[in-house]
Amino acid sequence: MIYNISSITVRCLFLVMMTTLVAGCSHEPAPWNGRDIEGVMPDLAFDLEGTGGRRVHASDTEGQVRLLFFGFTSCPDVCPATLAYLQQVFEAMPEGRRDEVTALFVSVDPKRDNPERLEK
């Protein structure tokens, strides 16, 4: 069987395919799908050694959004890139909202990451 497709049909198919492709390439940010999990999870509780020898407790940041980042200071690539991105996120936030969010870096390398090194 030989099919004879006219140039108009080819053009129409091309136009439909391109329209579909362009429609799927939106730069709109995805909607936020956050969910309040209060009461579902146990209350956050921690007691950590902070920089400068002070203790850090969950109650110190009560009422704030807490971002826990687990890493280590000698991490060669992922940790610095993620922390730089986190800094960009904070800088992009309206100043009045920055106090509502706390980022906590939790080291997974306690032998090398003492409070003095973490403070640097």
PDB file of all heavy atoms in Angstrom, residues 22 34 36 39 46 50 53 66-67 79 92 96 104 110 114 117:
ATOM      1  N   VAL A  22       4.798  22.997  22.701  1.00  0.00           N
ATOM      2  CA  VAL A  22       4.960  24.311  23.322  1.00  0.00           C
ATOM      3  C   VAL A  22       4.044  24.460  24.530  1.00  0.00           C
ATOM      4  O   VAL A  22       4.430  25.035  25.549  1.00  0.00           O
ATOM      5  CB  VAL A  22       4.720  25.431  22.282  1.00  0.00           C
ATOM      6  CG1 VAL A  22       4.658  26.793  22.949  1.00  0.00           C
ATOM      7  CG2 VAL A  22       5.812  25.401  21.227  1.00  0.00           C
ATOM      8  N   GLY A  34       1.860  21.773  49.983  1.00  0.00           N
ATOM      9  CA  GLY A  34       2.181  21.493  51.373  1.00  0.00           C
ATOM     10  C   GLY A  34       0.969  20.983  52.133  1.00  0.00           C
ATOM     11  O   GLY A  34      -0.177  21.204  51.762  1.00  0.00           O
ATOM     12  N   ASP A  36      -0.373  20.345  56.279  1.00  0.00           N
ATOM     13  CA  ASP A  36      -0.141  20.475  57.712  1.00  0.00           C
ATOM     14  C   ASP A  36      -0.169  19.073  58.328  1.00  0.00           C
ATOM     15  O   ASP A  36      -1.167  18.376  58.247  1.00  0.00           O
ATOM     16  CB  ASP A  36      -1.218  21.352  58.342  1.00  0.00           C
ATOM     17  CG  ASP A  36      -0.980  21.605  59.827  1.00  0.00           C
ATOM     18  OD1 ASP A  36       0.051  21.153  60.370  1.00  0.00           O
ATOM     19  OD2 ASP A  36      -1.828  22.263  60.441  1.00  0.00           O
ATOM     20  N   GLY A  39       0.038  16.975  64.614  1.00  0.00           N
ATOM     21  CA  GLY A  39      -0.759  15.946  65.247  1.00  0.00           C
ATOM     22  C   GLY A  39      -0.538  14.565  64.647  1.00  0.00           C
ATOM     23  O   GLY A  39      -0.893  13.560  65.252  1.00  0.00           O
ATOM     24  N   PHE A  46      14.813  17.925  70.119  1.00  0.00           N
ATOM     25  CA  PHE A  46      16.241  17.683  69.947  1.00  0.00           C
ATOM     26  C   PHE A  46      17.013  18.562  70.911  1.00  0.00           C
ATOM     27  O   PHE A  46      16.523  19.582  71.388  1.00  0.00           O
ATOM     28  CB  PHE A  46      16.706  17.908  68.506  1.00  0.00           C
ATOM     29  CG  PHE A  46      16.425  19.288  67.969  1.00  0.00           C
ATOM     30  CD1 PHE A  46      17.274  20.350  68.243  1.00  0.00           C
ATOM     31  CD2 PHE A  46      15.329  19.504  67.156  1.00  0.00           C
ATOM     32  CE1 PHE A  46      17.027  21.611  67.734  1.00  0.00           C
ATOM     33  CE2 PHE A  46      15.080  20.757  66.642  1.00  0.00           C
ATOM     34  CZ  PHE A  46      15.921  21.813  66.925  1.00  0.00           C
ATOM     35  N   GLY A  50      25.538  23.549  69.832  1.00  0.00           N
ATOM     36  CA  GLY A  50      25.648  24.583  68.820  1.00  0.00           C
ATOM     37  C   GLY A  50      27.015  25.220  68.818  1.00  0.00           C
ATOM     38  O   GLY A  50      27.913  24.854  69.588  1.00  0.00           O
ATOM     39  N   GLY A  53      29.577  26.883  71.941  1.00  0.00           N
ATOM     40  CA  GLY A  53      29.344  26.116  73.155  1.00  0.00           C
ATOM     41  C   GLY A  53      27.921  26.167  73.688  1.00  0.00           C
ATOM     42  O   GLY A  53      27.637  25.637  74.752  1.00  0.00           O
ATOM     43  N   ARG A  66      11.266  24.838  60.284  1.00  0.00           N
ATOM     44  CA  ARG A  66      12.639  24.401  60.539  1.00  0.00           C
ATOM     45  C   ARG A  66      13.123  23.550  59.382  1.00  0.00           C
ATOM     46  O   ARG A  66      12.463  22.593  58.984  1.00  0.00           O
ATOM     47  CB  ARG A  66      12.703  23.583  61.823  1.00  0.00           C
ATOM     48  CG  ARG A  66      12.247  24.356  63.036  1.00  0.00           C
ATOM     49  CD  ARG A  66      12.117  23.392  64.196  1.00  0.00           C
ATOM     50  NE  ARG A  66      11.525  23.998  65.360  1.00  0.00           N
ATOM     51  CZ  ARG A  66      10.402  23.568  65.893  1.00  0.00           C
ATOM     52  NH1 ARG A  66       9.749  22.565  65.376  1.00  0.00           N
ATOM     53  NH2 ARG A  66       9.940  24.150  66.987  1.00  0.00           N
ATOM     54  N   LEU A  67      14.270  23.924  58.846  1.00  0.00           N
ATOM     55  CA  LEU A  67      14.895  23.159  57.777  1.00  0.00           C
ATOM     56  C   LEU A  67      16.119  22.479  58.363  1.00  0.00           C
ATOM     57  O   LEU A  67      17.062  23.137  58.782  1.00  0.00           O
ATOM     58  CB  LEU A  67      15.314  24.075  56.628  1.00  0.00           C
ATOM     59  CG  LEU A  67      14.225  24.949  56.016  1.00  0.00           C
ATOM     60  CD1 LEU A  67      14.824  25.894  54.986  1.00  0.00           C
ATOM     61  CD2 LEU A  67      13.144  24.092  55.395  1.00  0.00           C
ATOM     62  N   CYS A  79      27.202  19.151  49.680  1.00  0.00           N
ATOM     63  CA  CYS A  79      26.905  20.041  50.808  1.00  0.00           C
ATOM     64  C   CYS A  79      27.120  21.517  50.463  1.00  0.00           C
ATOM     65  O   CYS A  79      26.218  22.330  50.687  1.00  0.00           O
ATOM     66  CB  CYS A  79      27.723  19.655  52.030  1.00  0.00           C
ATOM     67  SG  CYS A  79      27.409  17.973  52.604  1.00  0.00           S
ATOM     68  N   ALA A  92      16.139  35.361  48.643  1.00  0.00           N
ATOM     69  CA  ALA A  92      14.999  35.644  47.776  1.00  0.00           C
ATOM     70  C   ALA A  92      13.706  35.855  48.562  1.00  0.00           C
ATOM     71  O   ALA A  92      12.744  36.419  48.027  1.00  0.00           O
ATOM     72  CB  ALA A  92      14.811  34.502  46.766  1.00  0.00           C
ATOM     73  N   GLY A  96      10.671  40.361  55.794  1.00  0.00           N
ATOM     74  CA  GLY A  96       9.752  40.138  56.906  1.00  0.00           C
ATOM     75  C   GLY A  96       9.422  38.681  57.159  1.00  0.00           C
ATOM     76  O   GLY A  96       8.942  38.329  58.232  1.00  0.00           O
ATOM     77  N   LEU A 104      18.913  24.611  60.214  1.00  0.00           N
ATOM     78  CA  LEU A 104      19.820  23.991  61.179  1.00  0.00           C
ATOM     79  C   LEU A 104      20.717  23.000  60.446  1.00  0.00           C
ATOM     80  O   LEU A 104      20.224  22.087  59.788  1.00  0.00           O
ATOM     81  CB  LEU A 104      19.041  23.269  62.280  1.00  0.00           C
ATOM     82  CG  LEU A 104      18.120  24.150  63.122  1.00  0.00           C
ATOM     83  CD1 LEU A 104      17.144  23.298  63.901  1.00  0.00           C
ATOM     84  CD2 LEU A 104      18.949  25.008  64.051  1.00  0.00           C
ATOM     85  N   PRO A 110      30.982  14.094  63.570  1.00  0.00           N
ATOM     86  CA  PRO A 110      31.316  14.790  64.818  1.00  0.00           C
ATOM     87  C   PRO A 110      32.801  14.771  65.170  1.00  0.00           C
ATOM     88  O   PRO A 110      33.256  15.620  65.942  1.00  0.00           O
ATOM     89  CB  PRO A 110      30.486  14.050  65.866  1.00  0.00           C
ATOM     90  CG  PRO A 110      30.223  12.711  65.280  1.00  0.00           C
ATOM     91  CD  PRO A 110      30.171  12.906  63.795  1.00  0.00           C
ATOM     92  N   ASN A 114      33.805  19.978  64.887  1.00  0.00           N
ATOM     93  CA  ASN A 114      33.589  20.502  66.237  1.00  0.00           C
ATOM     94  C   ASN A 114      32.905  21.874  66.127  1.00  0.00           C
ATOM     95  O   ASN A 114      32.839  22.448  65.039  1.00  0.00           O
ATOM     96  CB  ASN A 114      34.911  20.574  67.007  1.00  0.00           C
ATOM     97  CG  ASN A 114      35.943  21.417  66.294  1.00  0.00           C
ATOM     98  OD1 ASN A 114      35.623  22.430  65.669  1.00  0.00           O
ATOM     99  ND2 ASN A 114      37.203  21.003  66.370  1.00  0.00           N
ATOM    100  N   ARG A 117      34.874  24.633  64.212  1.00  0.00           N
ATOM    101  CA  ARG A 117      34.927  24.456  62.754  1.00  0.00           C
ATOM    102  C   ARG A 117      33.574  24.799  62.124  1.00  0.00           C
ATOM    103  O   ARG A 117      33.512  25.415  61.052  1.00  0.00           O
ATOM    104  CB  ARG A 117      35.337  23.029  62.410  1.00  0.00           C
ATOM    105  CG  ARG A 117      35.504  22.816  60.924  1.00  0.00           C
ATOM    106  CD  ARG A 117      36.140  21.483  60.614  1.00  0.00           C
ATOM    107  NE  ARG A 117      36.283  21.352  59.173  1.00  0.00           N
ATOM    108  CZ  ARG A 117      37.030  20.470  58.591  1.00  0.00           C
ATOM    109  NH1 ARG A 117      37.733  19.620  59.314  1.00  0.00           N
ATOM    110  NH2 ARG A 117      37.106  20.395  57.282  1.00  0.00           N
TER     111      ARG A 117
END
